[in-house]
């Protein structure tokens, strides 16, 4: 598929897909006319990239993590520096989750108090 079709399927701009390519996150093959051509696996890969970015990882970390996402690849990856960096990233994300949950709980408390005054507020 061409870049426009991939863009439409994953819901990101073609510019962002080109950026992912520049960062070494995706690698389309080139047709004779120079057009980028993506296989079906690119859809899942872009979705993984989006998820990892959403979790707060940098493109640098994602570039290193992507090859390790398959179980077989992980069993062969034993670079201790890489493992240390990923563990530190994981710990940083856990801290963010804790803080976010504190904010959610505070908002729940506020909504609980307000819902007694304004019953139409949904405190889901």
């Amino acid at each position: 598929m061409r870049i426009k079709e991939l863009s439409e399927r994953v819901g990101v701009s073609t510019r962002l897909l080109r950026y992912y390519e520049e960062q070494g996150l995706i690698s389309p093959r080139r047709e004779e006319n120079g057009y980028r051509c993506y296989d079906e696996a690119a859809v899942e890969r872009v979705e993984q990239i989006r998820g990892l970015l959403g979790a707060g990882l940098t493109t640098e970390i994602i570039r290193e993590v992507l090859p390790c996402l398959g179980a077989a690849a992980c069993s062969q990856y034993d670079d201790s520096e890489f493992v240390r960096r990923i563990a530190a990233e994981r710990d940083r994300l856990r801290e963010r989750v804790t803080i976010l949950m504190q904010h959610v709980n505070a908002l729940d408390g506020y909504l609980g108090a307000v819902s007694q005054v304004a019953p139409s507020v949904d405190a889901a």
Side-chain angles (χ1 to χ4, degrees):
M1 79 187 87
R2 296 232 173 110
I3 193 168
K4 183 163 177 50
E5 182 182 347
L6 179 60
S7 169
E8 291 169 355
R9 288 191 53 191
V10 296
V12 302
S13 68
T14 56
R15 183 176 180 188
L16 190 55
L17 292 173
R18 287 185 200 100
Y19 173 74
Y20 292 165
E21 183 181 351
E22 289 171 10
Q23 296 301 305
L25 302 175
I26 58 176
S27 300
R29 76 172 202 281
R30 294 287 184 151
E31 295 179 342
E32 288 181 17
N33 59 9
Y35 287 1
R36 291 169 175 85
C37 186
Y38 298 89
D39 60 16
E40 196 62 33
V43 173
E44 182 179 339
R45 186 161 182 111
V46 171
E47 289 171 350
Q48 286 177 324
I49 292 165
R50 301 293 298 155
L52 293 169
L53 285 168
L57 275 71
T58 65
T59 55
E60 178 185 346
I61 294 287
I62 293 170
R63 184 175 42 253
E64 293 181 63
V65 169
L66 280 175
C68 187
L69 290 180
C74 283
S75 66
Q76 298 173 5
Y77 210 94
D78 63 354
D79 179 345
S80 61
E81 177 61 21
F82 174 74
V83 171
R84 186 197 61 72
R85 287 181 49 225
I86 297 305
E89 244 344 92
R90 180 209 49 214
D91 294 345
R92 186 183 67 79
L93 291 175
R94 281 187 177 152
E95 289 175 19
R96 286 185 58 204
V97 168
T98 299
I99 292 168
L100 289 171
M101 285 308 300
Q102 290 170 353
H103 294 316
V104 167
N105 291 335
L107 291 173
D108 283 345
Y110 171 76
L111 290 172
V114 171
S115 67
Q116 295 175 5
V117 176
S120 65
V121 175
D122 180 17

